[in-house]
Amino acid sequence: MLHDAGMGLVASSTQGRTRRARQWLDSLATRSTRGAILVVPELTPEQHEELSRLGIPYALVMPIDEPAPETTRVEVAT
């Protein structure tokens, strides 16, 4: 379905490693990224700022901390 629409999907994991998170953000900047769905316990202010600077819309799935007011988030009810 994504391929038919001319889009792709990339899944990656940084597992809380700062260096890998930086590499991940750098790779988003070099691709024509249209958006990101982030499954992370929290997004640092620096990461939020970088995503905003790059103009990449994103949604957080089940964040622990309260994200920035303009951040889309997805929660699961059990």
Side-chain angles (χ1 to χ4, degrees):
M1 209 153 82
L2 287 170
H3 179 72
D4 293 342
M7 300 175 80
L9 173 69
V10 175
S12 63
S13 171
T14 61
Q15 297 180 1
R17 295 182 214 143
T18 304
R19 182 170 171 248
R20 291 194 76 190
R22 177 75 252 164
Q23 290 171 335
W24 176 79
L25 283 169
D26 290 344
S27 70
L28 284 180
T30 59
R31 296 183 180 131
S32 58
T33 301
R34 294 185 179 180
I37 299 171
L38 308 172
V39 183
V40 295
E42 64 182 339
L43 193 65
T44 67
E46 294 80 13
Q47 292 166 330
H48 169 76
E49 179 67 31
E50 183 71 5
L51 288 165
S52 296
R53 185 186 71 75
L54 293 170
I56 298 172
Y58 64 91
L60 294 176
V61 177
M62 296 293 292
I64 291 173
D65 293 335
E66 187 69 30
E70 66 276 9
T71 302
T72 301
R73 67 185 197 188
V74 178
E75 295 187 18
V76 178
T78 58

